[in-house]
Amino acid sequence: MKILVTGGAGYIGSHTTLALLEAGLDVVVLDNLCNSSPVSLSRVEELAARALTFVEGDINDRALLDRVFADHSIDAVMHFAGLKAVGESVAEPLLYYRNNVAGTLTLCEAMAVANVFKLVFSSSATVYGEPGEMPLHEQLPTGSATNPYGQSKVMVERCLSDLGAADPRWSIALLRYFNPIGAHSSGLIGENPNGLPNNLLPYISQVAAGKLAELAVYGNDYQTVDGTGVRDYIHVVDLADGHLKALHAIEAATGVAVWNLGTGVGYSVLQIIEAFEKASGCKIPYRLAARRPGDTAECWADSGKANRELGWQATRGLADMMTDTWRWTRQNPTGYP
Ligand code: NAD
Ligand code: UDP
């Protein structure tokens, strides 16, 4: 079985590509490297002791997509390629809608012409907005995302749901990720943000590595365990395993299925700082700052559906996530060379 992985050089895509290769599947990665390094892919090959095929290019390039499908006998697509910086999406909404929404439509058009109808899509818990009940389950309404990034995920989910309803040849998995963190236990692949990190763990890692002076904790007046924001952090290797299980599930099905991928447990920012300090032995200086606009107080998953239908469950706990994040940072203090 051969899988096209768009965005496979990126953080989640590289870990999932490794899981696919380790499971004996063949992989073609298509990535324009706008937010990643090809070194991630050579490290994936080293870890898997197997080769993959890399095509440098853009999902908006229809002629290139047609060539990729003509050159390779692709059975299914895992679609990670997209832009993900919330703040940037507010400043440049067209860039986000072009890349994330129009890019996905171009990909689906090329897939249909090539007779490839199996698709696993990277969605996000952001599609739930702030529903006022926890944990978040798949039946809750979506659409109240507060920024263009989140809206692009809502729109793609809608397009893919309509596509699945219109044509029974499609079999589509919408995977709603909670907060992916951590790295492969080898420390060879991990998250490699460009510029100043937006997300909590990359920021803490850079403070620990001495590249940033202190962490700003955004808000300590939420109705949570200690006033700071609570999230469901999931190890990226567990997330990669969820993709493999979703792929197997859609092999035998048609239509559109939605699965949350989270642990079901929420941790506050202060709890994360404490766990990271314990795992790394580094003190993380922080200051309390105002809430970050658009942030929700708390968010965690009901992943029962993925457990029942995919036989999937996150197995790595908070200590593993912190230890693996720190090993990756220590071994690669400036990211990929
Ligand atoms: P990432 O930026 O590390 O990976 C995305 C990859 O896609 C990068 O390698 C980038 O170069 C590539 N890319 C972007 N636009 C492209 C285009 N037009 N054509 C070809 N390649 C392109 O991000 P990630 O954290 O690995 O996220 C992967 C997917 O998961 C994204 O769709 C993201 O929105 C989604 N997601 C991520 C998170 C998270 O917290 N990391 C949470 C929920 C959903
Ligand atoms: N956060 C923080 N300081 C930072 C980055 C994040 O206090 O520099 C908080 C943020 O307010 C949220 C949690 O950490 O409560 C997770 O934020 P992240 O951006 O990683 O994920 P998201 O907000 O997308 O869930």
Side-chain angles (χ1 to χ4, degrees), residues 10-12 31-32 34-36 58-59 80 84 99 149 153:
Y11 172 46
I12 305 168
D31 199 303
N32 66 5
C34 70
N35 195 38
S36 53
D58 201 292
I59 53 163
F80 297 93
K84 62 168 186 177
N99 209 62
Y149 166 71
K153 294 295 179 191

Side-chain angles (χ1 to χ4, degrees), residues 142-213:
T142 63
S144 57
T146 54
N147 55 74
Y149 166 71
Q151 280 303 335
S152 77
K153 294 295 179 191
V154 171
M155 286 180 194
V156 171
E157 282 204 0
R158 182 61 200 249
C159 293
L160 295 179
S161 300
D162 289 346
L163 188 58
D167 183 340
R169 290 174 299 175
W170 283 93
S171 182
I172 299 173
L174 307 177
L175 301 184
R176 294 182 181 156
Y177 311 159
F178 281 67
N179 287 57
I181 61 168
H184 188 262
S185 59
S186 64
L188 285 178
I189 56 173
E191 189 167 11
N192 186 34
N194 273 339
L196 198 63
N198 295 305
N199 295 113
L200 183 62
L201 260 294
Y203 205 104
I204 289 180
S205 302
Q206 295 201 9
V207 172
K211 288 169 69 186
L212 295 168

Side-chain angles (χ1 to χ4, degrees), residues 2-316:
K2 194 178 265 194
I3 313 299
L4 174 64
V5 180
T6 74
Y11 172 46
I12 305 168
S14 57
H15 287 81
T16 306
T17 295
L18 175 59
L20 292 169
L21 291 172
E22 285 176 339
L25 288 89
D26 296 320
V27 177
V28 177
V29 167
L30 173 69
D31 199 303
N32 66 5
L33 302 179
C34 70
N35 195 38
S36 53
S37 158
V39 175
S40 66
L41 296 175
S42 36
R43 293 197 177 169
V44 164
E45 288 181 318
E46 183 187 332
L47 286 167
R50 285 191 59 202
L52 55 83
T53 304
F54 174 51
V55 179
E56 184 172 345
D58 201 292
I59 53 163
N60 287 288
D61 183 344
R62 175 61 197 275
L64 173 67
L65 287 174
D66 289 343
R67 271 204 310 283
V68 169
F69 284 112
D71 290 350
H72 301 276
S73 180
I74 302 290
D75 297 288
V77 177
M78 287 200 179
H79 178 33
F80 297 93
L83 300 175
K84 62 168 186 177
V86 170
E88 184 185 53
S89 81
V90 174
E92 296 202 59
L94 293 184
L95 180 66
Y96 273 67
Y97 292 126
R98 154 70 54 200
N99 209 62
N100 295 5
V101 182
T104 303
L105 301 187
T106 304
L107 174 67
C108 290
E109 285 163 359
M111 286 176 66
V113 167
N115 264 306
V116 179
F117 293 101
K118 295 186 192 322
L119 176 67
V120 178
F121 173 64
S122 301
S123 190
S124 167
T126 191
V127 299
Y128 293 114
E130 200 161 14
E133 74 172 81
M134 286 298 149
L136 299 174
H137 58 81
E138 291 86 346
Q139 278 70 47
L140 286 169
T142 63
S144 57
T146 54
N147 55 74
Y149 166 71
Q151 280 303 335
S152 77
K153 294 295 179 191
V154 171
M155 286 180 194
V156 171
E157 282 204 0
R158 182 61 200 249
C159 293
L160 295 179
S161 300
D162 289 346
L163 188 58
D167 183 340
R169 290 174 299 175
W170 283 93
S171 182
I172 299 173
L174 307 177
L175 301 184
R176 294 182 181 156
Y177 311 159
F178 281 67
N179 287 57
I181 61 168
H184 188 262
S185 59
S186 64
L188 285 178
I189 56 173
E191 189 167 11
N192 186 34
N194 273 339
L196 198 63
N198 295 305
N199 295 113
L200 183 62
L201 260 294
Y203 205 104
I204 289 180
S205 302
Q206 295 201 9
V207 172
K211 288 169 69 186
L212 295 168
E214 64 175 9
L215 173 77
V217 174
Y218 297 137
N220 68 336
D221 56 353
Y222 289 111
Q223 293 293 313
T224 61
V225 58
D226 57 21
T228 65
V230 167
R231 297 289 184 275
D232 183 339
Y233 297 93
I234 173 169
H235 197 295
V236 66
V237 175
D238 281 329
L239 195 61
D241 178 46
H243 285 73
L244 217 59
K245 295 213 159 73
L247 178 68
H248 290 317
I250 66 168
E251 263 179 74
T254 68
V256 179
V258 186
W259 288 295
N260 281 342
L261 296 181
T263 65
V265 182
Y267 291 103
S268 75
V269 177
L270 296 182
Q271 287 169 334
I272 292 290
I273 294 173
E274 191 186 334
F276 189 92
E277 287 180 336
K278 195 166 165 205
S280 67
C282 298
K283 191 87 199 131
I284 303 297
Y286 69 86
R287 71 186 157 82
L288 299 174
R291 291 181 180 193
R292 185 170 63 176
D295 268 0
T296 55
E298 54 185 13
C299 166
W300 67 89
D302 176 343
S303 284
K305 186 167 183 278
N307 187 220
R308 287 189 304 277
E309 296 178 2
L310 304 178
W312 175 86
Q313 191 171 340
T315 59
R316 292 163 183 81

